[in-house]
Amino acid sequence: MSERTDAPARPARGRRRMAHSLEAVLAEAIALLDEAGESALTFRALAARLGGGAASIYWYVSNRDELIDRATDEVMGRLLDDTADLTDGPDPVANLRDLSLALFEEMRRRPWFGSYMLRNTGQQPNSMLMFDRIGQQLMRLDLTPKQQFHAASSLVSYIVGVAMDMAQPPPKEFLDSGMQPAEFLASYADRWRALDPVDHPFAHHVADEFAVHDDEDVFRSGLDLLLAGVQVQARGHGRD
Amino acid sequence: MSERTDAPARPARGRRRMAHSLEAVLAEAIALLDEAGESALTFRALAARLGGGAASIYWYVSNRDELIDRATDEVMGRLLDDTADLTDGPDPVANLRDLSLALFEEMRRRPWFGSYMLRNTGQQPNSMLMFDRIGQQLMRLDLTPKQQFHAASSLVSYIVGVAMDMAQPPPKEFLDSGMQPAEFLASYADRWRALDPVDHPFAHHVADEFAVHDDEDVFRSGLDLLLAGVQVQARGHGRD
DNA sequence: CGAACCATAGAACGCCGTTCGATAGAGTGC
DNA sequence: GCACTCTATCGAACGGCGTTCTATGGTTCG
């Protein structure tokens, strides 16, 4: 009857015993994912955080997969909001670059995010919106629809590929040896240098670069290759 | 543990002679992965195929992760053998294209393969060899080592990204409705057409392309964008 | 013939996702 | 006030998983 005044705009509807809510479930799920990665997101751990039983979560979500889908889409939704102005620029290619970099930033913040970004966009409306936002910039270029579709798909594939790379948890030898990330990278490069030079000429050739590389540089670099290709295609404006 | 110490610990691909059972374990593991995907690869299922107990497998492999790593690397080893001649051509960029397409083909054959390709190349000597083989072609172009390293990484990321896409199991609605893949794709395109045209202009714009697209075309298309970017960079021959 | 070692496998542990049924509380009609 | 329904919660249990421990058969060799 009388409303609790603690609830702001969206009252969490009448508080029951252990009032959950879809919002709360997703918020804690995301927190769990952020703190300890995908394997840490279990129904029991989540329930403990929410202060209830594991079975209760099934009221809001029918599945662990659906839980992850919704969490991912929630994050994507926020990202859409935060980056709404990135497509205002006059140059569509520059806009694509900014948009992709924003995605990269989010993936760096949340290594789990990229891995689930593309699965089943049918279940992830916001991922679909992001895909469309990318495509809309490509529509502004002088390309055939097929070229535009291919370019959008390739861009997303590239981004997800990098995401997968970054989602790789650091090997435990790193966690054990309290090294700094830069130190570890350097010592990892030494392993490249220890490989047979006959079988691995390239590893030796670029070991120095590898030792000091920054993930964002690598990402930006590949992104620019892809976008350069798009621009070549747009100027050639023709066949596929 | 399971290795004799007399043989000069071969790096990776040398035929193992006495490790009769490790080969069997990996062969059955790969068969299981091929037939029913990653989730089907359980120690119990694998043991059943081998006609023994689950615990026995731990003699050959200390981990499920290691099992998957070894299976992946085994497949990569065969692929290295099968594609050894793809880098003989005079044009390094054409060679990269052929190599990438061979990887794509393998990923199409084995959707699970791409997902595990890049993890921990420290544990996957053959993946490292493949990475080097890609890099060797890039060494032949007029690029700085940094550019070469970035290009190799980006190429692999792109390939893995597409792999992730293809590793997505088809939604169960597809399996239920005995549709042909082409039919399903068309009906999926209808769902794009049913989206709000204001929010999803691009989806509507390319729905027709999406309805008839072929994964390999899309892959090849993005690959060519990337390689075109590399070529632009090589001709500009300079700064990053 | 017995010892040493390789290889196997049954049983159990703890964790997981998921299901089922019981039940407490809020809303509703009388 | 009361009974009834509907919503949301949760304890308990099921089956399956990776993994470990321990016991034990089979070979090889002195």
Side-chain angles (χ1 to χ4, degrees):
Chain A
M1 192 70 131
S2 62
E3 278 193 12
R4 285 283 164 88
T5 54
D6 57 5
R10 295 240 177 262
R13 304 294 301 158
R15 298 250 160 170
R16 311 283 194 254
R17 311 227 297 292
M18 263 310 163
H20 301 344
S21 73
L22 181 55
E23 278 185 10
V25 167
L26 292 184
E28 291 302 328
I30 291 169
L32 219 35
L33 288 166
D34 285 347
E35 287 166 24
E38 189 231 314
S39 60
L41 178 58
T42 68
F43 278 79
R44 284 169 176 88
L46 183 52
R49 273 179 100 106
L50 291 163
S56 311
I57 300 169
Y58 283 86
W59 180 257
Y60 299 97
V61 140
S62 65
N63 227 312
R64 184 172 186 264
D65 276 351
E66 187 186 317
L67 176 62
I68 296 184
D69 275 342
R70 288 192 118 113
T72 306
D73 211 50
E74 169 73 22
V75 169
M76 184 63 90
R78 291 182 215 162
L79 190 60
L80 280 171
D81 287 344
D82 293 348
T83 61
D85 58 333
L86 289 188
T87 48
D88 292 344
D91 179 6
V93 173
N95 292 349
L96 283 172
R97 220 179 97 102
D98 292 344
L99 211 50
S100 304
L101 281 169
L103 276 165
F104 174 88
E105 272 308 314
E106 192 66 28
M107 287 165 2
R108 163 172 284 182
R109 235 189 317 274
R110 318 189 124 103
W112 58 272
F113 173 64
S115 316
Y116 297 95
M117 219 176 75
L118 60 65
R119 52 170 220 193
N120 224 359
T121 49
Q123 304 280 0
Q124 295 188 6
N126 288 330
S127 291
M128 188 68 200
L129 280 172
M130 181 58 86
F131 180 72
D132 213 277
R133 199 180 271 187
I134 288 170
Q136 286 165 36
Q137 296 306 307
L138 288 161
M139 286 173 72
R140 297 171 54 191
L141 295 172
D142 188 15
L143 297 169
T144 67
K146 177 184 258 182
Q147 287 174 326
Q148 289 162 353
F149 171 62
H150 286 180
S153 301
S154 301
L155 212 44
V156 171
S157 287
Y158 171 67
I159 294 169
V160 168
V162 176
M164 287 299 296
D165 203 359
M166 292 197 313
Q168 229 70 260
K172 57 173 185 296
E173 3 160 359
F174 167 64
L175 298 173
D176 293 346
S177 74
M179 289 169 116
Q180 297 295 92
E183 282 180 87
F184 176 74
L185 198 60
S187 88
Y188 205 95
D190 283 336
R191 229 173 299 174
W192 282 27
R193 286 186 262 255
L195 293 168
D196 183 343
V198 176
D199 290 335
H200 304 83
F202 183 67
H204 284 262
H205 184 60
V206 299
D208 290 348
E209 291 299 337
F210 177 70
V212 300
H213 84 272
D214 171 48
D215 281 341
E216 184 169 343
D217 279 346
V218 181
F219 175 77
R220 209 180 310 114
S221 188
L223 180 62
D224 285 340
L225 290 179
L226 216 37
L227 293 177
V230 170
Q231 246 157 351
V232 167
Q233 205 174 44
R235 275 198 262 281
H237 127 277
R239 5 170 314 217
D240 193 13
Chain B
M1 284 304 177
S2 60
E3 303 246 3
R4 280 260 178 87
T5 49
D6 57 15
R10 308 184 196 261
R13 323 230 305 307
R15 299 268 170 220
R16 290 167 205 282
R17 299 192 46 269
M18 84 308 177
H20 167 46
S21 247
L22 176 57
E23 276 188 3
V25 167
L26 292 185
E28 290 303 328
I30 291 169
L32 218 35
L33 288 166
D34 284 346
E35 286 166 27
E38 189 231 314
S39 61
L41 178 59
T42 67
F43 278 80
R44 285 168 175 88
L46 182 52
R49 272 179 100 107
L50 291 164
S56 311
I57 300 169
Y58 283 87
W59 180 257
Y60 299 98
V61 140
S62 66
N63 227 315
R64 183 170 187 264
D65 276 351
E66 187 185 317
L67 176 62
I68 296 184
D69 276 342
R70 286 191 120 113
T72 306
D73 211 51
E74 169 73 22
V75 169
M76 185 62 91
R78 291 183 214 159
L79 190 62
L80 280 170
D81 287 345
D82 293 348
T83 62
D85 59 333
L86 288 188
T87 47
D88 292 345
D91 178 8
V93 173
N95 292 348
L96 284 173
R97 220 179 95 103
D98 292 344
L99 212 50
S100 304
L101 281 169
L103 276 166
F104 175 87
E105 273 308 314
E106 191 66 26
M107 287 166 0
R108 163 172 285 180
R109 235 189 316 275
R110 319 188 123 102
W112 58 273
F113 174 64
S115 317
Y116 296 96
M117 218 177 76
L118 60 65
R119 55 170 218 191
N120 224 359
T121 47
Q123 304 281 0
Q124 295 188 6
N126 288 330
S127 291
M128 189 67 200
L129 280 171
M130 180 59 85
F131 180 73
D132 213 277
R133 199 180 270 186
I134 288 170
Q136 287 165 35
Q137 297 305 305
L138 288 162
M139 286 174 72
R140 297 171 54 192
L141 296 172
D142 187 16
L143 297 170
T144 67
K146 177 184 262 184
Q147 287 173 328
Q148 289 163 354
F149 171 61
H150 286 179
S153 301
S154 300
L155 211 45
V156 170
S157 286
Y158 171 68
I159 293 169
V160 168
V162 176
M164 286 299 298
D165 203 358
M166 294 197 313
Q168 230 68 261
K172 57 173 186 297
E173 2 159 359
F174 167 64
L175 298 172
D176 293 345
S177 74
M179 290 169 115
Q180 297 296 90
E183 282 181 86
F184 176 74
L185 199 59
S187 88
Y188 206 93
D190 282 337
R191 228 172 300 173
W192 282 27
R193 287 185 262 255
L195 293 167
D196 182 342
V198 176
D199 289 336
H200 304 83
F202 183 65
H204 284 261
H205 184 60
V206 299
D208 290 348
E209 291 300 337
F210 177 70
V212 301
H213 84 272
D214 170 49
D215 281 342
E216 184 169 344
D217 279 345
V218 181
F219 174 77
R220 209 179 311 112
S221 188
L223 181 61
D224 285 340
L225 291 179
L226 217 37
L227 293 177
V230 170
Q231 247 156 351
V232 167
Q233 203 173 45
R235 275 197 264 279
H237 124 280
R239 4 169 314 219
D240 194 13

